Amino acid sequence: MKVERIVANIATSDIAAAERFYQDVLGLDLLMDMGWIATYGSEERMQVQVSFMAQGGSGTPVPDLSIQVDDVDAALAGMQEAGFAVEYGPADEPWGVRRFYVRDPFGRLVNILSHR
């Protein structure tokens, strides 16, 4: 047996609010919309990972999601242009990532990062 996919599920009564953050700014595709569930993602192959954390590093809280992007500064600009407030960063961390924290429309703390 092997794990083929890990899906993050976020409870909300306003599913449409995900579009601006996850599709418009982060560029994910709408893969499924059944009214009660909207799934955003990419057909690109990615690593399967689950992290367990006592803290978020550099004295930050543990984020609900971490999303690795190819250009963290472009993601930061997109979030700011869309009106999402940055709660931490941008920061070049000693473990080799550049990142920032932002809250999605559902209040989830999201760590947006790129490896340097």
Side-chain angles (χ1 to χ4, degrees):
M1 190 282 304
K2 72 174 184 169
V3 173
E4 293 184 344
R5 179 172 57 162
I6 295 173
V7 176
N9 298 306
I10 297 173
T12 180
S13 60
D14 185 7
I15 292 168
E19 182 177 350
R20 197 174 92 201
F21 188 92
Y22 291 97
Q23 185 175 25
D24 295 349
V25 178
L26 290 176
L28 294 175
D29 298 319
L30 179 62
L31 302 178
M32 176 179 64
D33 185 353
M34 299 179 70
W36 58 272
I37 180 174
T39 301
Y40 292 88
S42 170
E43 295 296 330
E44 191 171 322
R45 295 284 279 176
M46 299 178 194
Q47 294 179 341
V48 174
Q49 295 180 320
V50 177
S51 297
F52 301 90
M53 305 167 74
Q55 52 114 347
S58 295
T60 64
V62 174
D64 295 299
L65 296 171
S66 290
I67 299 175
Q68 183 176 332
V69 298
D70 63 350
D71 186 339
V72 75
D73 293 311
L76 175 64
M79 289 295 171
Q80 291 171 327
E81 288 170 18
F84 293 103
V86 173
E87 293 198 9
Y88 173 76
D92 293 311
E93 302 291 7
W95 55 89
V97 301
R98 180 166 174 76
R99 69 181 182 154
F100 67 93
Y101 281 8
V102 63
R103 291 216 181 258
D104 76 1
F106 315 106
R108 302 295 183 194
L109 189 60
V110 182
N111 175 30
I112 309 288
L113 69 114
S114 288
H115 287 269
R116 288 183 276 144

